[in-house]
Amino acid sequence: MSSFTPKDPAFKDRIQASFARQGLMATLGASLAKVEPGAVEITLKPSPAVSQQHGFVHAGAVTSIADSAAGYAALSLMPPGTGVLSAEFKINLTAPAAGDLLRAKGRVIKAGRTLTLAQTEVFAESATGEKLVALLTATMMCIENRDGVAD
Amino acid sequence: MSSFTPKDPAFKDRIQASFARQGLMATLGASLAKVEPGAVEITLKPSPAVSQQHGFVHAGAVTSIADSAAGYAALSLMPPGTGVLSAEFKINLTAPAAGDLLRAKGRVIKAGRTLTLAQTEVFAESATGEKLVALLTATMMCIENRDGVAD
Amino acid sequence: MSSFTPKDPAFKDRIQASFARQGLMATLGASLAKVEPGAVEITLKPSPAVSQQHGFVHAGAVTSIADSAAGYAALSLMPPGTGVLSAEFKINLTAPAAGDLLRAKGRVIKAGRTLTLAQTEVFAESATGEKLVALLTATMMCIENRDGVAD
Amino acid sequence: MSSFTPKDPAFKDRIQASFARQGLMATLGASLAKVEPGAVEITLKPSPAVSQQHGFVHAGAVTSIADSAAGYAALSLMPPGTGVLSAEFKINLTAPAAGDLLRAKGRVIKAGRTLTLAQTEVFAESATGEKLVALLTATMMCIENRDGVAD
């Protein structure tokens, strides 16, 4: 889908290794489903462990995979030796998050030297098809030369 | 701090019971620290289980407690028999989330019949004091007469 | 582009008449360029009258046409007798707004009974092509039976 | 109200001169009402020239003064020789904007080297008092050494 050229040929390994260090993703049970230049997908299985009070997936859990998908989509285009941090994001919850699987599809809208704009659509997949449950827009920051912040 | 009058005298019990049903809060290890009319606090202890790749607390975990704090601040002013859902929120991450304890302080800015605007400041507390790490602004929706959506 | 079916067959006339009542659009010199079900375009010619301090189009002017495009995209799908109000929006400015013409392309992402999620891309058109200068995401509210709020 | 120390002792003159170059502010009829370190106020008189279709002040005009107030609050703390650009902002419209005068009160939440977080409350003033009509949260970017971008 994308016409982006990664600056780091090892971007897939880099993102997989970084994802594996995100303790929250393991705690939530999220999986890295796809990594392409400027586009990353993360999935999450709805369960009581990630629920809000009505049994839907908590907006915070939806946001967590949406943010990581946007962040890694941004990181996929950043030069070697840099790291990514979320500066801000906004999410609209368009339907209660339920179903068999949530899939967060992050993609880069505009890659800048310091700031990258990325967007994630989160779909709930079920036997009856897929439904948009959230739309996140994020500003991701490229960090250079800061101790402890890489990938 | 607030001059709000709750429409439901049992708002504290209602929020505590609702919080207890949020599986995500237990999964993250978050605690409901304070419930007042229009103002709710939730705390979270930083740990590898809620981290991102650099060891800071993941923006998704910060957002989870900030969203719940805003949502319960809104719910504290809603009539009995209604439920609360997040329609959208925006968060700015102002500093890496680290320290001994994160404290999300949610408060209602404007309570409407259908939509409530709430804001949450998240502070990182440590031996050297407290530091603002995130600011969330949320639109909360009051839900009436919908199956499965109460509190 | 869209597969939306308008509830009001007269939606085009309704939006043109409403746009004509928006004094701000005339003050800025904005034009209604396209009206389709769930999709509306508004254009604005860059000039010193709508500038910020460096000579680019002011973010507020960019936002004004982006908000109106999103709002009218939402209104195009609302039933007769209702009105539209912006509940909130978020905009990312991805490049300084300059060029021969700004074109705000609003479209509905999810149309709900009370809340509609819409998004507007703003492009700067010039001899060298078009460039994305802003991305707005908006929550539009459908208003019924309130004095003075129609269309 | 603020405890910020400006890095540029001439920040007031600098902001007044910059405001005077914002053609949009003159077109809307907005005035720079107050400039302090980290805090700036801009006012706007409601009139048909800045209206939306129901006669309220257009969300785009409300946003324009809110964005400028936030931007100049940020600029008031930036070093000499730099410029300010809005990277993104989010606004919640909490009540229809009407009354005798709109007053946008911008203030810095967190001043960083590259990014500054600022927030603007917009109040409608009338004989019966003042009412919050909008809340804007903005990320402002400090620009150095870029042609044409100063103040």
Side-chain angles (χ1 to χ4, degrees), chain C residues 37-55:
Chain C
V40 166
E41 291 185 17
I42 296 174
T43 56
L44 176 68
K45 228 179 138 47
S47 81
V50 295
S51 75
Q52 43 84 282
Q53 70 274 29
H54 316 121

Side-chain angles (χ1 to χ4, degrees), chain B residues 88-90 92 94-95 107 109-110 117 119 121 131-132 135 137-139, chain D residues 88-90 92 94-95 107 109-110 117 119 121 131-132 135 137-139:
Chain B
E88 61 84 26
F89 50 77
K90 196 256 203 200
N92 282 71
T94 51
R107 68 191 173 88
I109 303 288
K110 162 86 189 292
L117 178 63
Q119 194 160 67
E121 292 174 305
K131 184 178 189 172
L132 181 74
L135 176 66
T137 309
T139 305
Chain D
E88 61 84 26
F89 50 77
K90 197 258 202 198
N92 282 70
T94 52
R107 68 191 172 89
I109 304 288
K110 162 87 188 291
L117 177 64
Q119 196 159 65
E121 292 174 303
K131 184 179 190 173
L132 181 74
L135 177 66
T137 309
T139 305

Side-chain angles (χ1 to χ4, degrees), chain C residues 130-150:
Chain C
E130 67 171 28
K131 185 178 189 173
L132 182 75
V133 297
L135 177 67
L136 174 139
T137 309
T139 305
M140 295 293 165
M141 201 164 185
C142 182
I143 307 290
E144 287 185 82
N145 304 318
R146 197 194 292 180
D147 275 358
V149 180

Side-chain angles (χ1 to χ4, degrees), chain C residues 13-149:
Chain C
D13 292 348
R14 187 180 172 191
I15 287 171
Q16 277 159 355
S18 178
F19 184 88
R21 289 198 306 273
Q22 289 204 336
L24 181 66
M25 292 297 111
T27 298
L28 298 178
S31 302
L32 186 61
K34 194 168 118 179
V35 180
E36 292 184 0
V40 166
E41 291 185 17
I42 296 174
T43 56
L44 176 68
K45 228 179 138 47
S47 81
V50 295
S51 75
Q52 43 84 282
Q53 70 274 29
H54 316 121
F56 305 129
V57 178
H58 195 288
V62 174
T63 300
S64 296
I65 60 168
D67 170 45
S68 279
Y72 285 130
L75 182 63
S76 73
L77 304 179
M78 292 179 182
T82 58
V84 65
L85 282 178
S86 304
E88 61 84 26
F89 51 77
K90 195 256 203 202
I91 190 165
N92 282 72
L93 291 319
T94 52
D100 297 329
L101 190 73
L102 297 186
R103 184 178 301 271
K105 300 182 178 183
R107 66 192 174 90
V108 169
I109 304 288
K110 162 88 189 291
R113 202 169 49 87
T114 306
L115 301 182
T116 290
L117 177 64
Q119 194 161 66
T120 301
E121 291 175 305
V122 184
F123 295 94
E125 300 177 350
S126 65
T128 57
E130 67 171 28
K131 185 178 189 173
L132 182 75
V133 297
L135 177 67
L136 174 139
T137 309
T139 305
M140 295 293 165
M141 201 164 185
C142 182
I143 307 290
E144 287 185 82
N145 304 318
R146 197 194 292 180
D147 275 358
V149 180

Side-chain angles (χ1 to χ4, degrees), chain D residues 33-112:
Chain D
K34 195 169 116 178
V35 179
E36 291 184 0
V40 166
E41 291 185 18
I42 296 175
T43 56
L44 176 67
K45 227 178 140 48
S47 81
V50 295
S51 75
Q52 42 84 283
Q53 70 273 29
H54 316 121
F56 305 129
V57 178
H58 195 289
V62 173
T63 300
S64 296
I65 60 168
D67 170 46
S68 279
Y72 285 129
L75 182 62
S76 73
L77 303 179
M78 291 180 183
T82 58
V84 66
L85 282 178
S86 305
E88 61 84 26
F89 50 77
K90 197 258 202 198
I91 190 164
N92 282 70
L93 292 319
T94 52
D100 298 330
L101 191 71
L102 297 186
R103 183 177 301 272
K105 299 183 179 182
R107 68 191 172 89
V108 170
I109 304 288
K110 162 87 188 291

